[in-house]
Amino acid sequence: MNIFETLESEVRSYCRGWPTTFDKATGSFLYDESGKEYLDFFAGAGSLNYGHNNPLLKRAVIDYMLADGVTHSLDMNTVAKRELLESFEDIVLKPRALDYKVMFPGPAGANAVEAALKLARKVTGRESIINFTNAFHGMTLGALSVTGNSMKRSGAGIPLVHATPMPYDNYFDGQTPDFLFFERLLADSGSGLNEPAAVIVETVQGEGGINAARVEWLRGLAELCQRHGILLIVDDVQMGCGRTGPFFSFEVAGIRPDIVCLSKSIGGYGLPLALTLLKPELDVWEPGEHNGTFRGVNPAFVAATEALKVYWRDDKLEKSTLAKGEQVGRELTGLVESYPDVPMRAKGRGLARGLQFGDARLAGKVCATAFELGLLMETSGPDGEVVKLMPPLTISDDELERGLSVLARSVKGALA
Amino acid sequence: MNIFETLESEVRSYCRGWPTTFDKATGSFLYDESGKEYLDFFAGAGSLNYGHNNPLLKRAVIDYMLADGVTHSLDMNTVAKRELLESFEDIVLKPRALDYKVMFPGPAGANAVEAALKLARKVTGRESIINFTNAFHGMTLGALSVTGNSMKRSGAGIPLVHATPMPYDNYFDGQTPDFLFFERLLADSGSGLNEPAAVIVETVQGEGGINAARVEWLRGLAELCQRHGILLIVDDVQMGCGRTGPFFSFEVAGIRPDIVCLSKSIGGYGLPLALTLLKPELDVWEPGEHNGTFRGVNPAFVAATEALKVYWRDDKLEKSTLAKGEQVGRELTGLVESYPDVPMRAKGRGLARGLQFGDARLAGKVCATAFELGLLMETSGPDGEVVKLMPPLTISDDELERGLSVLARSVKGALA
Amino acid sequence: MNIFETLESEVRSYCRGWPTTFDKATGSFLYDESGKEYLDFFAGAGSLNYGHNNPLLKRAVIDYMLADGVTHSLDMNTVAKRELLESFEDIVLKPRALDYKVMFPGPAGANAVEAALKLARKVTGRESIINFTNAFHGMTLGALSVTGNSMKRSGAGIPLVHATPMPYDNYFDGQTPDFLFFERLLADSGSGLNEPAAVIVETVQGEGGINAARVEWLRGLAELCQRHGILLIVDDVQMGCGRTGPFFSFEVAGIRPDIVCLSKSIGGYGLPLALTLLKPELDVWEPGEHNGTFRGVNPAFVAATEALKVYWRDDKLEKSTLAKGEQVGRELTGLVESYPDVPMRAKGRGLARGLQFGDARLAGKVCATAFELGLLMETSGPDGEVVKLMPPLTISDDELERGLSVLARSVKGALA
Amino acid sequence: MNIFETLESEVRSYCRGWPTTFDKATGSFLYDESGKEYLDFFAGAGSLNYGHNNPLLKRAVIDYMLADGVTHSLDMNTVAKRELLESFEDIVLKPRALDYKVMFPGPAGANAVEAALKLARKVTGRESIINFTNAFHGMTLGALSVTGNSMKRSGAGIPLVHATPMPYDNYFDGQTPDFLFFERLLADSGSGLNEPAAVIVETVQGEGGINAARVEWLRGLAELCQRHGILLIVDDVQMGCGRTGPFFSFEVAGIRPDIVCLSKSIGGYGLPLALTLLKPELDVWEPGEHNGTFRGVNPAFVAATEALKVYWRDDKLEKSTLAKGEQVGRELTGLVESYPDVPMRAKGRGLARGLQFGDARLAGKVCATAFELGLLMETSGPDGEVVKLMPPLTISDDELERGLSVLARSVKGALA
């Protein structure tokens, strides 16, 4: 037994599916300590949209460290933070005519969600939250209470309350009108639904199985929220920062959420960083009412600023992501069509793609085979029935094709 | 108005007390963008025990990055993680004959606390937690529910339940026996106290006002927990990693908590890292039952490993911390005695020290004056009545004396 | 101002709609202190199925009191209780081949519900309950948490949690399959629905607007519960004791709930009495684990026993209720057809009938007019849009016709 | 096995300690079906302060029924209710210069408590309640959450939250100042105590073991509540209606609670009735915001009115209760002194008296022996360590002496 098995808690999981020890990583590749190369269609669960050890970001971070830039600053003002704020305003918010204030809620996506839920409750004076089936928002108690996965929920050890799940887009395969249940419960003063402070939604559910909500559903949701005075929180932790094409995943629907959660790739380099964006009129926080030690990770500020400047001053990355996404989509559709007898389904948007199997074991087999063949992909969905494809956005065409080819071989192998 | 005021949320707080913009930092000093030097008696709220941009740690991190070491790995096995686990076992656990399993609960102290609470509930099948007056454990919902500060609690927007506060050591100035209330409630089957899963405690309450529990109180608490089958969680996020002298703050009491929370300085360099340590028999987690994106921040693993190797292979740092702590303690006692008419009190252990004022405004004035004079200290305590002194453990004698001299001037100025 | 206005709390409500002071009552009639006669289509909200001061029941109660029978006995054994238990077993349970144990949970329907919820949670080790839109189960905290009405819910002053409302039968006017949402959430381990201990349902929702679930829906619900290991609680407080024809309202569906709540007319004479019936295998209570002062109201036992003996030894009352119910139904349908331009709808089963108006003000007007004309009816439904007809089951044909004629006049008047 | 054992739920409890079947009852006596006479020192747990089948009350109730007075009226105005309100105002409130509005919350004490808690939360906008160690307030979810007994609490099946227990008077045998812990937690904004809406207290804890709070403690509590803007709820369900001498048990302390709960003997005859009294400025209920079917039990109104007129128009009953209480107290003290080697303690006030044993089994033995000898007494206290003496207030001197003599014999027997 190695030290991971003897010393680390049983809670560890990725290391079980990928039984090797990784050492180096560049661009779209990871290397284990034996030197074996793995093409990465996982990208740190969306934290490495710009690839591993992206040289431009690495240079910026190392230069900052060499110059003895402040590393850790809580919410003190620093030069690095100012540059991030300025870049975020100039490159992200202004061009999209988005008027948000920026909160640093802590280092991780769950902190962004916790802050969003707190704020929504504080602003509205209501306590109840609407979440969606198969949502994933994090493991801290507030975030977990709006997460769907029953195994993770049971880890709480206390009843998770104050949230009511509503059916996500297409939950009933189109046999009911959108928001039928939600609208009816809201309209009916005898429904027993506690009046919600907010709705929290992912535009594409990553952990939930790469379920991409239609833009008209997202628009309908935003409209419903506005009509009922419910705040709309978009959790863009995994799908933001260009994963689906545009910087924010909700841009495609033309909606303006009241609160937006960002993390994962916002730091660019895989360093922990999270932002909660809020409409100015919602900024009713008392100073220090929400705080935390790791809100000022300046190397992450530096990498984030550099990533914005390199990748978001023009629309090249967005267009390339959309194009590559289309390519992946076509490949997946092709696979589905190649095996007419096997229940499969191609899913997703941008470079968040999934191949869903009727039999969850097949999805697991595909990923295991791919790992053998040097391709990292994880499963998602409530039963692990979806092979999830999330390569770095910076992946080259050759790498992408190579990965898709391994995927095809893995599917073939799994179905053999 | 600068961009911090226009774009950042009103929730920001440290930047209000220290109204400048910091740029560089080395060792015990921060520098603002005008070049003004600030001696740091704050140390990132305990995250920078080894000083800013510690050259040994910096070198290790930069070398790792230059070599394209894996940056972000969730809970995959990596070489950097193995080295951290091995170092932690060899340098920290084995010499202290501590038998813990190590869990990576997420990047921040609150994650360590959330995981500890979940696990305690899962293991015992009970939901209630005992916390202490003036406790601080974090801002995510689970951690907030065991935190005392009423302003921060009210930020939750929902009733915070499942925790009952007990009086911390010396809460009644010695007029009652230790654990009088707690023991009586536990012994009385009609008391109305829900049977607790766990007690969560800080050995020295940092945010609560540098309240140092006596070792006999800590021993009494551990003994009480064992007698009643209640798990004992020590939140060593701020007071661990040598802040009070020994690596774990509870060592001085000779107790063995069931679960230990570490963060802040465990990463050494100010990068987010947290650990939850648990007795092996408590390791009942399902794989993936608690997860999170930023559990594998390898640069932090590298810095953590280096910090352990440099500072904890012998007892030099521990001894120096104790000696410097004594020195600070003497200085504070001297200050108290210098102003017999002003209600003041010297508090703390190791290099976690406090000067408590009867009038909280005076504490605020002292810190404001110190800032003008180039010394960073924050207030703590429920009303901000305590000037909190937490210099880096690596501070030199000269720097320490300089800081204490500025403190003395600041007190004099505030009392003038 | 009279003493009701000066001394009684503003919470009073029936006295506002029926602004007089009642004095005497017999059979189907109430009389106010001026001697004005009111035909009672309300029947104590279902507590007076056998009419006011039913002479047979009155005789039994008075004889018992005159003989100095024990009045108040908590859960001591008494002769009167034995007779009730024996009668209940012989007349109610055995002929229906129902195998239940009988619990005396306290004097009112809410106590029966509170005990049922406690027991379901204790037996299953789960905490969550499924209730239905527009459910009404009572005003104590546990019962209120499964009640739909938002005004009443807001009276709790704390968030009402641990219950999730599902759509009642026909909630979407037949446009979705039965249990579409419920089944899907249960089947999906990622749905976010906490695993339910029990479902609580009324077969006909009285307060909710005389919504009668179809028998196939009830059967589907029972089957769903069995399939998923969820306990089925039928709250038969208002619809039991023959209101819809058979003794238990669920008999028509041929289902066997795990737990049944009875109250209102079980005492027969309007005296407080409630029963919780539970399958023998669920009887895991510790002695005294649920208790209460008014569990032994012996005059109510006596009246209950007499009512069972008089009315339930044969099927006369059941048949007559069904026949009269049909008559009322026809009358209501006729009214609906008479006013093709006014959105109206006839609802209900047995002698629980309702006339729903598209415009809730009309329902209020109908009841107000009827009161003027000497007929007592209340409104129900979330907006008070349903005129509710619940005459005593012992009403004579003449009285029923007289009442229906007043109803017709009242509708005409309201629509004028 | 008899039908109680075969058909009634295992939850039954009094019938286990008193294994016979009661039939008749008059004054201070119960008779089982074999004709055996039992002197009643239990009095329906305080519901039969005026004795069994009190002839004056019986006459009034029977006359009312014979005249076909309305039995069941929800919260409609009735003549019987008017007479109760007028009598309550004239005989109870006015002479004591108490200005309360009267609410009919449902038939039982728990309803009075549920309504009080709801109202306190609604008025203050806070959710947290302070209860006391060994409190008993009822079995419905809200009332249970402020009850101390752990066995009964565990029956809830969900975590009972929103209440924090404080030490009742003399909980630490006088070794700490009154309210030391409570005051300190309230004063300390970092204590972690949720700001309370209300305190709920019994002046003498009946179920908790006949713990009589000193009047100065009650005054201190009332003063503390006023100072902190916390509502004071006195649960006088068991100790009101003259049990301790005066009509309200709190009169002796000269305090004016914000809300008072009455039930048990308010109905006089053992019929279910409860009242919640509230200061007029707290009467913020919406009409119907709290309701319930059995709020208008007119026979209970009639008996209540008669009891007020017969027993509370002068101070004879109050004086006699105090005198008899003194007599019982002397007897108990004498018993304690007779057995200097057996840890025993005499407790109580008025005719709520207790004899506490160091060894709870002795208390059980005393009650069992007394039952054999024809005297009904129950145990109370968290471990059943207190023999509880609560005879009817109308008990004659001879009966009282006879009972005390049986008690003495039972103690002797138990200690033999």
Side-chain angles (χ1 to χ4, degrees), chain C residues 97-150:
Chain C
L98 291 169
D99 187 17
Y100 286 122
K101 294 197 83 172
V102 177
M103 174 180 176
F104 295 85
N111 301 102
V113 170
E114 294 267 344
L117 298 180
K118 279 181 174 187
L119 187 65
R121 285 162 167 156
K122 185 179 167 72
V123 166
T124 61
R126 304 175 211 138
E127 100 291 344
S128 183
I129 306 289
I130 296 296
N131 60 338
F132 288 98
T133 52
N134 289 297
F136 182 93
H137 299 290
M139 288 294 105
T140 51
L141 194 58
L144 185 55
S145 72
V146 290
T147 289
N149 186 288
S150 59

Side-chain angles (χ1 to χ4, degrees), chain C residues 7-11 13-14 22 25 33 58 68 75 77 81-82 102 114 141 152 264 283 288 293, chain D residues 7-11 13-14 22 25 33 58 68 75 77 81-82 102 114 141 152 264 283 288 293:
Chain C
L7 192 61
E8 198 179 346
S9 162
E10 293 299 322
V11 82
S13 78
Y14 282 104
F22 295 97
E33 59 185 336
K58 180 165 73 173
D68 285 331
D75 63 4
N77 296 341
K81 188 178 183 177
R82 182 169 59 208
V102 177
E114 294 267 344
L141 194 58
K152 296 194 193 303
K264 294 205 188 250
D283 192 16
T293 297
Chain D
L7 192 61
E8 198 179 345
S9 163
E10 293 299 322
V11 81
S13 78
Y14 282 103
F22 296 97
E33 59 185 337
K58 179 165 73 172
D68 284 331
D75 65 1
N77 297 340
K81 187 178 186 178
R82 181 168 62 207
V102 177
E114 293 269 343
L141 194 58
K152 296 194 192 304
K264 295 206 188 247
D283 192 16
T293 297

Side-chain angles (χ1 to χ4, degrees), chain C residues 106-334:
Chain C
N111 301 102
V113 170
E114 294 267 344
L117 298 180
K118 279 181 174 187
L119 187 65
R121 285 162 167 156
K122 185 179 167 72
V123 166
T124 61
R126 304 175 211 138
E127 100 291 344
S128 183
I129 306 289
I130 296 296
N131 60 338
F132 288 98
T133 52
N134 289 297
F136 182 93
H137 299 290
M139 288 294 105
T140 51
L141 194 58
L144 185 55
S145 72
V146 290
T147 289
N149 186 288
S150 59
M151 188 267 277
K152 296 194 193 303
R153 288 175 74 82
S154 77
I158 51 173
L160 294 175
V161 296
H162 302 305
T164 304
M166 288 290 155
Y168 195 69
D169 186 27
N170 207 30
Y171 198 59
F172 302 118
D173 296 319
Q175 59 179 311
T176 64
D178 292 349
F179 311 112
L180 173 70
F181 189 48
F182 193 7
E183 283 276 18
R184 186 77 176 81
L185 288 185
L186 286 172
D188 178 2
S189 72
S191 70
L193 183 76
N194 293 334
E195 200 186 1
V199 162
I200 186 164
V201 70
E202 304 152 278
T203 62
V204 180
Q205 296 182 322
E207 301 308 302
I210 307 292
N211 307 312
R214 291 162 301 136
V215 296
E216 54 267 36
W217 187 87
L218 292 169
R219 267 181 223 130
L221 180 62
E223 190 272 329
L224 178 160
C225 287
Q226 192 156 26
R227 198 159 14 93
H228 289 280
I230 302 169
L231 296 178
L232 177 62
I233 304 168
V234 168
D235 179 344
D236 229 8
V237 166
Q238 187 161 141
M239 295 301 151
C241 303
R243 173 53 56 188
T244 66
F247 186 83
F248 294 111
S249 72
F250 56 79
E251 292 177 47
V252 65
I255 61 174
R256 290 168 182 276
D258 297 289
I259 304 178
V260 180
C261 302
L262 284 181
S263 184
K264 294 205 188 250
S265 276
I266 185 65
Y269 197 66
L271 294 173
L273 181 60
L275 302 179
T276 303
L277 311 180
L278 40 135
K279 288 193 172 164
E281 61 268 29
L282 305 180
D283 192 16
V284 298
W285 288 112
E286 294 293 315
E289 195 173 0
H290 179 96
N291 63 10
T293 297
F294 290 114
R295 287 170 298 150
V297 184
N298 286 260
F301 294 166
V302 169
T305 303
E306 189 67 13
L308 294 178
K309 289 181 174 169
V310 173
Y311 293 105
W312 294 102
R313 276 203 165 127
D314 57 36
D315 62 1
K316 276 189 204 138
L317 183 68
E318 176 172 352
K319 286 192 167 154
S320 127
T321 299
L322 291 173
K324 287 171 183 156
E326 292 300 316
Q327 184 186 350
V328 177
R330 281 190 302 273
E331 176 71 20
L332 294 179
T333 305

Side-chain angles (χ1 to χ4, degrees), chain C residues 60-61 64-65 68-84 104 267 271-273 293-305, chain D residues 4 21-24 30 48 52-53 269-272:
Chain C
V61 172
Y64 184 78
M65 290 173 71
D68 285 331
V70 172
T71 299
H72 178 281
S73 61
L74 290 110
D75 63 4
M76 294 145 73
N77 296 341
T78 67
V79 172
K81 188 178 183 177
R82 182 169 59 208
E83 288 177 2
L84 173 57
F104 295 85
L271 294 173
L273 181 60
T293 297
F294 290 114
R295 287 170 298 150
V297 184
N298 286 260
F301 294 166
V302 169
T305 303
Chain D
F4 302 110
T21 301
F22 296 97
D23 188 9
K24 309 287 184 197
L30 280 151
L48 293 163
H52 293 270
N53 281 302
Y269 197 66
L271 294 172

Side-chain angles (χ1 to χ4, degrees), chain B residues 160-209:
Chain B
L160 293 175
V161 297
H162 302 305
T164 305
M166 288 290 155
Y168 194 70
D169 186 27
N170 208 31
Y171 197 62
F172 302 119
D173 296 320
Q175 59 178 311
T176 63
D178 292 349
F179 311 112
L180 174 70
F181 189 48
F182 192 8
E183 283 275 20
R184 185 79 176 79
L185 288 185
L186 286 172
D188 178 3
S189 73
S191 69
L193 183 75
N194 293 335
E195 200 184 1
V199 162
I200 185 164
V201 68
E202 303 152 279
T203 63
V204 180
Q205 295 182 321
E207 300 309 300

Side-chain angles (χ1 to χ4, degrees), chain A residues 146-193:
Chain A
V146 290
T147 289
N149 185 288
S150 59
M151 188 266 277
K152 295 192 193 305
R153 288 175 74 82
S154 77
I158 52 173
L160 293 175
V161 297
H162 303 305
T164 305
M166 288 290 155
Y168 194 69
D169 186 25
N170 208 30
Y171 198 60
F172 303 117
D173 295 321
Q175 61 178 311
T176 65
D178 292 348
F179 311 111
L180 173 70
F181 188 48
F182 192 7
E183 282 277 17
R184 185 79 176 81
L185 288 185
L186 285 172
D188 177 2
S189 72
S191 70
L193 183 75

Side-chain angles (χ1 to χ4, degrees), chain D residues 111-183:
Chain D
N111 301 102
V113 169
E114 293 269 343
L117 298 180
K118 278 182 175 184
L119 187 65
R121 286 163 166 155
K122 183 178 167 71
V123 166
T124 61
R126 303 173 211 140
E127 100 290 344
S128 183
I129 305 288
I130 296 296
N131 61 337
F132 288 98
T133 51
N134 289 296
F136 182 92
H137 299 290
M139 287 296 106
T140 51
L141 194 58
L144 185 55
S145 72
V146 290
T147 289
N149 186 288
S150 59
M151 187 266 276
K152 296 194 192 304
R153 289 175 73 82
S154 78
I158 52 172
L160 293 175
V161 296
H162 303 305
T164 305
M166 288 290 154
Y168 194 70
D169 187 26
N170 208 32
Y171 197 61
F172 303 117
D173 296 320
Q175 59 179 313
T176 64
D178 292 349
F179 311 112
L180 173 70
F181 189 48
F182 193 7
E183 282 276 18

Side-chain angles (χ1 to χ4, degrees), chain B residues 42-55:
Chain B
F42 171 61
S47 299
L48 295 162
N49 283 1
Y50 313 115
H52 293 269
N53 280 302
N54 182 303

